[in-house]
Amino acid sequence: MLQRIRKPIVISTAILFHLLLIFHLFFSPVIIVSAAYKSIVNASFIVYALMFILSLFFGRAYCSWFCPGCGIQEILSLIIKKKSSNSKALYLKYFIFTIWISAIVIGYILNGISKVDLSYGMTDITLERKIILTIGAIILIVPLTVIFGQFASCKYICWAVPLMIIGTKIRDFLHLNGLHLKTDISKCNNCNVCSKKCPMNLDVMENVKKGQMQNTECILCGNCVDHCKQKAIRFSFKK
């Protein structure tokens, strides 16, 4: 089953990045803005650029397979079974993304790019501050999950998610091959297990009935694929 592969990978990534105190270096939304106004390409710039490029071929699969933040949420989901369902809050991440990406773009437009420094923002701070920043990232995720449900931070506040959604939209517009879910409606017996097992609380069975599995909130974790005994859902890389 896919989950036997995916979960150890994403959880291990989360533990490794946090224990090494490098989570903030690669995923900080603040350091990259600071770097932009100092004409520097830093580690997080490279990471976010790769996220966008990979989304052209793999959609939001990065979220569920490799994201350290998602790994923390996978651990929390072992305890917290509540599903997040606030549909209006879904738009909050686009508001955060717009402000964030605008600050970065304006910074580079005004200052240009003079050098690449992958360690920028981490080598000049104390160990204590690195620990505080790492713990802070976890503290941000935990209350949201407790209050709103599983994967709430992914759904509502992650500044990087719209970047991957845009990449996926571009792929679909250009009719490029890419990883996505495909369904065979004739095999569906309406058991609704796919919807119950979806960590993003999507109505997967309704999508199966429509024959349209594309959803901007789908993180391609493969839970629906694993739990569909009728094999009505599968992964495909074709257009």
Side-chain angles (χ1 to χ4, degrees), residues 6-7 69-70 72-86 90 141-156 195-202 217 219 223:
R6 183 188 69 83
K7 288 185 178 181
C70 184
I72 295 297
Q73 293 178 96
E74 281 288 354
I75 296 172
L76 291 173
S77 68
L78 297 174
I79 305 170
I80 300 169
K81 302 303 181 181
K82 175 184 176 182
K83 296 288 186 70
S84 54
S85 58
N86 191 327
L90 292 173
I141 294 172
V142 174
L144 283 170
T145 305
V146 172
I147 297 170
F148 297 105
Q150 296 177 350
F151 296 84
S153 61
C154 281
K155 294 180 73 172
Y156 306 138
S195 296
K196 293 178 181 178
K197 294 295 182 179
C198 178
M200 300 298 282
N201 200 24
L202 302 178
E217 297 304 317
I219 55 176
N223 269 291

Side-chain angles (χ1 to χ4, degrees), residues 14-227:
I15 294 173
L16 181 64
F17 270 73
H18 284 88
L19 285 180
L20 293 178
L21 302 178
I22 56 175
F23 178 86
H24 195 68
L25 172 63
F26 289 98
F27 299 95
S28 171
V30 178
I31 292 179
I32 187 174
V33 174
S34 174
Y37 283 87
K38 292 187 178 180
S39 306
I40 297 172
V41 170
N42 69 325
S44 53
F45 179 98
I46 303 297
V47 168
Y48 290 123
L50 284 174
M51 280 186 193
F52 175 74
I53 293 171
L54 288 173
S55 69
L56 295 172
F57 305 97
F58 301 100
R60 286 186 60 186
Y62 166 82
C63 295
S64 62
W65 287 78
F66 299 105
C67 177
C70 184
I72 295 297
Q73 293 178 96
E74 281 288 354
I75 296 172
L76 291 173
S77 68
L78 297 174
I79 305 170
I80 300 169
K81 302 303 181 181
K82 175 184 176 182
K83 296 288 186 70
S84 54
S85 58
N86 191 327
S87 58
K88 292 182 179 179
L90 292 173
Y91 298 101
L92 179 59
K93 61 178 175 286
Y94 294 102
F95 176 73
I96 296 172
F97 170 76
T98 301
I99 295 175
W100 174 65
I101 202 71
S102 296
I104 296 171
V105 171
I106 291 172
Y108 283 120
I109 289 176
L110 293 176
N111 302 284
I113 298 175
S114 61
K115 66 175 180 178
V116 176
D117 183 359
L118 300 184
S119 63
Y120 173 79
M122 284 298 281
T123 56
D124 56 344
I125 63 176
T126 63
L127 176 62
E128 289 77 9
R129 188 180 175 190
K130 289 182 181 180
I131 294 174
I132 291 172
L133 291 172
T134 301
I135 294 175
I138 297 174
I139 290 176
L140 180 66
I141 294 172
V142 174
L144 283 170
T145 305
V146 172
I147 297 170
F148 297 105
Q150 296 177 350
F151 296 84
S153 61
C154 281
K155 294 180 73 172
Y156 306 138
I157 67 165
C158 182
W159 52 90
V161 165
L163 195 65
M164 289 179 278
I165 291 175
I166 292 170
T168 305
K169 292 289 186 181
I170 291 173
R171 177 196 72 190
D172 294 341
F173 178 77
L174 297 176
H175 302 290
L176 302 175
N177 287 336
L179 186 66
H180 60 278
L181 293 174
K182 193 170 184 179
T183 179
D184 185 342
I185 306 173
S186 64
K187 293 181 179 180
C188 179
N189 66 352
N190 300 319
C191 67
N192 204 37
V193 171
C194 53
S195 296
K196 293 178 181 178
K197 294 295 182 179
C198 178
M200 300 298 282
N201 200 24
L202 302 178
D203 192 345
V204 183
M205 194 180 77
E206 183 63 26
N207 292 337
V208 171
K209 289 180 178 179
K210 293 177 180 177
Q212 176 54 264
M213 298 299 290
Q214 280 285 66
N215 190 301
T216 55
E217 297 304 317
C218 176
I219 55 176
L220 297 172
C221 62
N223 269 291
C224 58
V225 177
D226 278 346
H227 290 92

